[in-house]
Amino acid sequence: RINSLMDEKFRESTFDTFRQTKNNARNLRLCRRYAEAFPEMVKKNQGLLMYGNVGTGKTFAAACIANYLLDRKVPVVMTSFVKLLEVFQSGRDEETSILNRLGYAKLVIFDDLGAERGTGFALEKVYNIVDSRYRKNLPMILTTNLTIEEMKSEVDMRYRRIYDRVFETCYPMQFTGPSWRMKEASRRYKDMEELLGVD
């Protein structure tokens, strides 16, 4: 799992620990089917675009797919463009090795598309990575807090090039409902009040 670049907190994310709600039941079903039918998805170069508000479970769902495949010895890389750009800008020697992993993993999951907004350098790198997967007919899963409308109405040509590739190869899945993080924060707050004996 180390080679997958996945954050440690998502290494235990599985379909068995996926807490089903009325908001995410359909997405859980689709993610499980995607993972189970992955050889077919590779043949068709079919990815997923998971979009929705912060904290609605996009990254967790993507990690469930990643872990399902990693358990079956399928090479998967899960990272974010922000993390990749930090490596590239720091001039560390890892860049070539990471780009090789991104180029040849059967599935690459990019978390938080759109969070890397800013420099021309960043955009060029993001485009090159997405384009490389696109040209090799290798699937991607992307998560984003952007809406489909925001992506479709993007005026910056550099972003449009990226989004065009994504729309062509990725099936859009909307994640809705309350933020899991806010619910967890509320639970922890209540637990702490009980521990401290707050009236």
Side-chain angles (χ1 to χ4, degrees), residues 4-5 22 63 66 74 110 126 136 144 150 157 160 184 197:
S4 71
L5 302 178
K22 67 178 191 308
V74 176
F110 294 114
V126 171
K136 287 178 181 160
T144 185
E150 284 171 322
M157 199 48 161
R160 286 179 63 175
E184 179 63 10

Side-chain angles (χ1 to χ4, degrees), residues 107-181:
L107 176 67
V108 173
I109 299 171
F110 294 114
D111 195 29
D112 223 3
L113 174 68
E116 75 297 318
R117 294 189 84 87
T119 66
F121 170 84
L123 280 171
E124 206 49 46
K125 285 285 184 190
V126 171
Y127 175 75
N128 287 342
I129 292 166
V130 168
D131 188 57
S132 165
R133 298 286 302 172
Y134 175 84
R135 287 175 188 280
K136 287 178 181 160
N137 284 320
L138 289 168
M140 299 174 278
I141 293 176
L142 299 102
T143 76
T144 185
N145 298 332
L146 298 168
T147 65
I148 297 289
E149 290 68 35
E150 284 171 322
M151 288 187 268
K152 283 187 171 168
S153 62
E154 177 61 64
V155 291
D156 188 324
M157 199 48 161
R158 297 168 304 174
Y159 271 108
R160 286 179 63 175
R161 286 164 71 208
I162 296 166
Y163 298 156
D164 278 354
R165 297 269 188 274
V166 172
F167 288 138
E168 187 180 331
T169 57
C170 297
Y171 176 77
M173 290 172 60
Q174 185 173 18
F175 282 68
T176 59
S179 166
W180 286 100
R181 284 187 213 119

